[in-house]
Amino acid sequence: MEEQKSKINIQWFPGHMTKAKRQMEEHLKLVDMVIELRDARIPNASKNPLIEQLTKQKPRLILLTKRDKAQPEATRRWVEHLQNEQVKVLALDLLKDPLEKRITSAAKELMKDKLERMKRRGIRPRAIRAMVVGIPNVGKSTLINSLAHRRAAVTGDRPGVTKALQWVKIGKELELLDTPGVLWPKFEDAKVGMLLAVSGAIRDDILPLEEIAYWAMDWLQEQYPQVVRERYGVELQENPYDTLLAIAEKRGYKNGTAIDEKRLIIAFLREIRDGKLAAITWELPDED
């Protein structure tokens, strides 16, 4: 494991994402609005500029998912920061919240003017059609399945599960076009790449996990030192690498007498992603 701050620049743009971007462009004319999912722990880093560029002419409902894993006050600030006339924002726990009622209500509010125009013209309003977009592993398939009350989409706690577009009818008032998770070809800000890696939006098998774990511990020691102490029962070391080694010693992550770094890193990142440390928000709206 490297004992210095990582300056890696993570890149990932597999072929199916190029295809997904093209399909999204082709299908946008079929929908009334866009439902964009972002991770409530990293609302800025999980914003895909490609999606923003493609969908800027459409009314948008932003869903901050995994709110149960984010710091509540920070989430409240993000909701306030992101909302405007064209954009509504909901913070959701996709496994516990009443999704259909809240999302349908928000969609009808966003489309209120169009629905009223249709009524004035004597046209019976049809179901609102919305394209569901977002980065990998942000909860799109979980959302679709919860709303459809069936296994309409394959789910998995790993990026890149959904590979094709599909329509899903939600009651009488909403039709959703599910899309694959799409990342963008270059992260201009290295921190964005790190946050996406820490959150699980990028496949682990292409990542330098040691450097990501080091970066995450360095950040946690600065921002949430007491959380680290309480979770792992170790004293923080000046070098985050040494803190990670102390955790390995405490938990017995060893191969013989040597530290089992792979086991340590996988366990550490998994606990962050599962929200086992605490409800943590990794970026705030007033940060540069």
Side-chain angles (χ1 to χ4, degrees):
M1 187 185 293
E2 293 291 331
E3 295 190 32
Q4 58 185 5
K5 276 200 176 184
S6 171
K7 298 190 185 302
I8 61 170
N9 196 10
I10 298 163
Q11 304 301 331
W12 185 41
F13 200 59
H16 81 267
M17 291 195 177
T18 307
K19 180 182 177 184
K21 176 178 177 286
R22 187 174 65 250
Q23 288 179 323
M24 284 169 60
E25 287 178 301
E26 292 169 356
H27 285 78
L28 266 173
K29 60 182 177 291
L30 303 177
V31 302
D32 305 301
M33 58 174 286
V34 171
I35 298 176
E36 178 192 358
L37 278 68
R38 300 190 194 178
D39 189 324
R41 299 167 298 177
I42 52 169
N44 189 59
S46 58
K47 171 188 71 177
N48 186 335
L50 281 180
I51 290 173
E52 190 127 305
Q53 178 187 345
L54 286 174
T55 64
K56 60 186 175 185
Q57 303 303 324
K58 298 282 184 180
R60 187 162 22 142
L61 173 60
I62 296 176
L63 306 182
L64 298 180
T65 65
K66 309 186 184 185
R67 70 163 176 80
D68 53 310
K69 298 178 182 179
Q71 205 278 327
E73 174 58 20
T75 300
R76 185 197 64 76
R77 288 171 59 190
W78 273 111
V79 170
E80 192 175 278
H81 176 74
L82 293 170
Q83 274 191 153
N84 58 49
E85 274 187 26
Q86 187 82 344
V87 179
K88 278 192 67 64
V89 185
L90 297 176
L92 297 172
D93 178 340
L94 297 181
L95 299 177
K96 295 182 180 177
D97 288 343
L99 302 180
E100 184 172 346
K101 182 178 179 181
R102 293 189 66 188
I103 291 171
T104 301
S105 175
K108 287 167 72 176
E109 190 174 333
L110 267 176
M111 299 305 303
K112 183 179 177 183
D113 290 347
K114 182 173 182 177
L115 293 173
E116 287 181 352
R117 283 197 304 271
M118 291 174 73
K119 285 180 182 177
R120 284 198 300 269
R121 291 163 60 191
I123 302 171
R124 186 178 178 182
R126 56 165 171 73
I128 296 168
R129 293 174 184 154
M131 180 181 286
V132 181
V133 300
I135 66 169
N137 200 30
V138 78
K140 290 187 307 303
S141 296
T142 300
L143 172 71
I144 295 288
N145 289 338
S146 295
L147 290 173
H149 305 296
R150 61 188 172 85
R151 193 176 174 80
V154 179
T155 61
D157 188 19
R158 64 188 191 279
V161 173
T162 303
K163 293 286 181 16
L165 285 81
Q166 60 176 330
W167 282 100
V168 181
K169 194 170 179 61
I170 310 300
K172 295 179 179 179
E173 298 181 295
L174 194 60
E175 292 178 1
L176 303 182
L177 179 60
D178 190 18
T179 64
V182 181
L183 283 175
W184 53 108
K186 185 177 182 182
F187 304 134
E188 298 296 340
D189 183 349
K191 183 182 177 184
V192 168
M194 280 296 190
L195 290 173
L196 291 170
V198 169
S199 73
I202 306 174
R203 293 199 330 263
D204 281 347
D205 58 3
I206 67 164
L207 294 172
L209 294 181
E210 299 91 345
E211 295 181 64
I212 290 157
Y214 180 96
W215 183 91
M217 179 56 81
D218 189 32
W219 187 89
L220 287 168
Q221 287 197 173
E222 288 183 14
Q223 303 294 328
Y224 289 85
Q226 195 56 34
V227 166
V228 178
R229 291 190 188 97
E230 289 176 2
R231 175 66 187 174
Y232 296 108
V234 299
E235 280 306 310
L236 304 188
Q237 306 300 311
E238 185 176 346
N239 189 325
Y241 172 73
D242 293 329
T243 305
L244 286 165
L245 292 182
I247 293 169
E249 288 281 357
K250 178 95 175 177
R251 292 193 168 183
Y253 293 161
K254 291 190 173 184
N255 278 326
T257 58
I259 296 293
D260 187 340
E261 289 192 355
K262 183 177 180 181
R263 184 181 175 194
L264 164 67
I265 290 160
I266 290 172
F268 175 57
L269 291 175
R270 173 51 56 194
E271 289 182 17
I272 290 174
R273 293 166 183 172
D274 289 347
K276 294 289 179 62
L277 275 71
I280 292 173
T281 298
W282 292 72
E283 55 182 358
L284 297 172
D286 53 2
E287 290 178 345
D288 292 331

